Amino acid sequence: MFDFGVQLIEDTMRPKGRDICKRDVMPLVKDMKLRFPLSWQTRTLSLGKRIMHKTIHFESSFDASRLFHYICLNLSSYNVVKCDGRNGCLSRMMREMDTDVYFFFIPHAHIIFAFEFFVLCRTEGESMDSFIHNGSSPYIQTISEKIMWVAETSMKDIIRSAAVNLRRDCLWEGFSHSNQSKCLIPIDSLHEMCQMSHTLSISGLSPQLSELLFDRMDKLEILWSNVLLAMKRDPVFSLSASFDDRVYLFYFKQEDLFLMIELNSSKGVEEIQILTRENPSENKLFTNSCNSIIDVITNWILHWLWNSL
């Protein structure tokens, strides 16, 4: 019966190349855990399969349900599969100890900052309680302990990454809907969003635009306070926030990215950066969007300079 249940779960999860598993395996996983507790599994030495369970606690400003929902909306980003159903769970298959390992997790029913975590694995011809040497640790572990540790580490990485990305998206939404010259969101939140986002310096993307913007020799004698005042009034730019007339944040809705301009104490340009959620180097669409914004900025500044002569 135990072997049949494990095989049924594996057969359900085995098909690759999908984000959704239409069959909810969590009721079966929980039933297997109750029918065959770990104490029974360890006493049955002939078993080459095991189902293990653990409650994973974590610290975050978001509870387990909020993080679970966020991961479900971004399955491919975390390489997990959503198992549909009333008790739908998230799952990942990984390769460890030359065998397929499946782990499943759902928000804990009674602890808001915890997940229920299940691991299903097998060995070929070896007991799960055979000891192995871990090259990265002076201590020996059983096969089941090693697999549990690797799976738990992978799951915690998912949770940490989701918590960071969700926080970034909350700040992103706050700034993108601000649309006011005097933003009520503190500048510390802007710095936090920058740390969680991908930032691209204009100087590295466009040397020609960099020469125009930074004008180290003051050949153009550009009054950047006037430039920014004109940008704030132009519908091409949507001002999200400004801080002490030193930092200006503009949002481009269609491209879903920010342009951040920082002035120095002399009111010259200190830095101009593009902020994106995704890594542009891994997404050609974002690369094209960044290049498009650079063209907009270059053409707008040149047009402004011409009209100011």
Side-chain angles (χ1 to χ4, degrees), residues 174-183 237-241 249 251:
F175 279 112
S176 66
H177 290 91
S178 179
N179 292 323
Q180 53 184 337
S181 58
K182 298 298 181 181
C183 180
F237 301 93
S238 176
L239 180 68
S240 294
L249 190 69
Y251 180 63

Side-chain angles (χ1 to χ4, degrees), residues 28-47:
L28 177 57
V29 172
K30 286 187 172 183
D31 184 64
M32 292 283 291
K33 178 236 176 186
L34 292 174
R35 287 174 178 268
F36 307 99
L38 189 58
S39 57
W40 177 87
Q41 296 179 54
T42 55
R43 288 197 307 269
T44 309
L45 301 179
S46 60
L47 287 179

Side-chain angles (χ1 to χ4, degrees), residues 144-268:
S144 61
E145 288 172 340
K146 172 68 181 299
I147 289 176
M148 186 65 170
W149 180 82
V150 171
E152 182 180 341
T153 300
S154 180
M155 184 267 189
K156 287 180 175 178
D157 287 343
I158 293 173
I159 300 305
R160 278 192 291 266
S161 178
V164 169
N165 292 340
L166 178 54
R167 173 59 179 165
R168 178 206 61 204
D169 286 356
C170 288
L171 293 171
W172 198 278
E173 292 302 313
F175 279 112
S176 66
H177 290 91
S178 179
N179 292 323
Q180 53 184 337
S181 58
K182 298 298 181 181
C183 180
L184 299 178
I185 306 175
I187 193 170
D188 288 346
S189 294
L190 175 59
H191 293 156
E192 184 183 2
M193 186 177 75
C194 290
Q195 292 176 348
M196 297 175 175
S197 306
H198 294 275
T199 57
L200 301 170
S201 174
I202 290 291
S203 59
L205 294 172
S206 174
Q208 295 82 3
L209 180 56
S210 176
E211 185 176 348
L212 172 65
L213 293 173
F214 297 104
D215 191 23
R216 303 301 185 189
M217 303 301 293
D218 292 328
K219 296 177 181 179
L220 300 174
E221 297 182 352
I222 300 174
L223 294 176
W224 285 103
S225 57
N226 292 344
V227 174
L228 288 164
L229 180 61
M231 291 176 69
K232 289 162 62 176
R233 294 172 176 173
D234 195 314
V236 171
F237 301 93
S238 176
L239 180 68
S240 294
S242 64
F243 300 93
D244 300 325
D245 295 325
R246 292 280 299 275
V247 179
Y248 295 82
L249 190 69
F250 298 91
Y251 180 63
F252 292 83
K253 183 176 182 180
Q254 183 174 347
E255 293 82 4
D256 188 31
L257 54 77
F258 287 99
L259 174 71
M260 185 171 69
I261 302 177
E262 297 181 69
L263 302 183
N264 55 34
S265 57
S266 302
K267 297 301 181 181

